[in-house]
Amino acid sequence: MDEQAPLRWIDTQAKLMQELVEQWANLNTFTYHVAGVRAFAESLKNHLAPIAAETRLIGVDHHEIVDDRGRLAPLPLGLAVWARNRPNAARRVLLCIHTDTVYPPDHPFQRAERIDAHRLRGPGVADAKGGIVVLLTALGALERSPVAGRLGWEVLLNPDEEVGSPGSAKLLKQCASRTHLGLLFEPSMPDGSLVGARKGSGNFTVVVHGRAAHAGRDFHLGRNAIHAMAEAIGAAAALNGVRPGVTVNVGKVSGGGPVNVVPDL
């Protein structure tokens, strides 16, 4: 029984792995670009089908956000990719990572670019389309291994990690409850070592209501919502360093209108 054969097989996949990362990096999968995320999900399902007993594309809940008018608004999300093999094995592992990226379709950073023979730069190359290629190749090697029958595996690739996984949280919990071990295919540390833990996160929206007034004639009657928001941002930034390891980032601001009006939102 040649236990090294799966490792030698991985060596033969280098060119294909590079091509897949480049191809997928050139496909826009911004979290809210549902068509792009769906196209990527369908491609991934096709790659998993030859080695999985079951494969499925699963819809997730909408992401309820606060829009620029301060109102709750549901945003549709893409499809999750799910697959598994040997669900009744004595040992079962969950393999997870996300399909979405942070660059919208109108962002200038859209295409992968080869820096040199060993480096590729592009949207999602490291986080996490490169990780998905590593995941798929590892599974391909496992299924060629003499120990494959002793391990069951489940794959979940969710479409909304970059915004906190609001639509797929329930699905992640369901999959985790059926397995003994979980591995995430985020980028490694700079020295190549595996990451054993990561921060959790929470997303919060602050809506400030003021009172509109003409900025020249009735300025004293207005209540400037932007001024109040600026104070809130400063207070949030001051929380950094208060507790070890806790960071607060203000990532988006919107509001105001004509410059001759005291803004009320």
Side-chain angles (χ1 to χ4, degrees):
M1 187 178 294
D2 187 356
E3 296 184 354
Q4 297 300 311
L7 300 180
R8 290 196 297 272
W9 174 82
I10 291 176
D11 291 337
T12 69
Q13 300 302 297
K15 186 174 186 296
L16 175 60
M17 293 172 72
Q18 293 171 13
E19 290 172 352
L20 275 179
V21 174
E22 189 167 358
Q23 173 188 329
W24 286 340
N26 289 337
L27 176 62
N28 184 280
T29 55
F30 174 57
T31 306
Y32 302 122
H33 184 210
V34 175
V37 176
R38 176 187 288 271
F40 189 27
E42 291 171 347
S43 177
L44 291 170
K45 182 175 182 288
N46 291 336
H47 278 81
L48 282 162
I51 56 173
E54 302 173 74
T55 57
R56 194 182 309 160
L57 299 180
I58 303 174
V60 301
D61 295 338
H62 283 33
H63 183 198
E64 193 171 64
I65 66 161
V66 177
D67 67 15
D68 288 348
R69 299 303 302 167
R71 299 169 298 198
L72 288 175
L75 283 180
L77 296 167
L79 297 171
V81 184
W82 175 87
R84 71 177 175 183
N85 220 5
R86 296 179 292 276
N88 298 317
R91 292 291 180 266
R92 299 179 298 278
V93 61
L94 175 62
L95 309 176
C96 286
I97 196 54
H98 57 98
T99 57
D100 61 325
T101 54
V102 299
Y103 302 100
D106 59 353
H107 193 280
F109 190 44
Q110 292 293 328
R111 306 288 295 180
E113 173 190 10
R114 290 191 176 273
I115 305 303
D116 55 39
H118 302 288
R119 290 187 297 167
L120 181 70
R121 178 173 58 204
V125 162
D127 185 13
K129 290 170 180 177
I132 293 174
V133 171
V134 171
L135 185 160
L136 292 173
T137 307
L139 283 180
L142 172 68
E143 293 305 309
R144 289 166 170 78
S145 164
V147 302
R150 295 159 49 188
L151 182 69
W153 53 263
E154 192 162 342
V155 168
L156 179 62
L157 308 175
N158 68 312
D160 57 341
E161 187 270 352
E162 296 290 4
V163 295
S165 304
S168 57
K170 291 187 293 187
L171 190 56
L172 286 161
K173 290 180 181 178
Q174 290 170 7
C175 293
S177 69
R178 298 189 290 261
T179 54
H180 302 96
L181 170 71
L183 293 173
L184 295 177
F185 288 77
E186 288 274 336
S188 67
M189 299 297 287
D191 65 358
S193 60
L194 294 178
V195 178
R198 59 169 295 180
K199 290 184 179 184
S201 66
N203 298 322
F204 305 88
T205 301
V206 177
V207 180
V208 178
H209 294 280
R211 182 187 300 156
H214 192 282
R217 186 179 60 200
D218 295 316
F219 178 77
H220 63 288
L221 298 177
R223 297 292 183 269
N224 193 308
I226 291 179
H227 289 178
M229 179 61 80
E231 293 176 355
I233 291 170
L239 294 174
N240 284 297
V242 173
R243 293 190 179 183
V246 177
T247 53
V248 179
N249 179 57
V250 179
K252 181 184 178 183
V253 179
S254 62
V259 295
N260 64 340
V261 177
V262 176
D264 65 346
L265 182 64

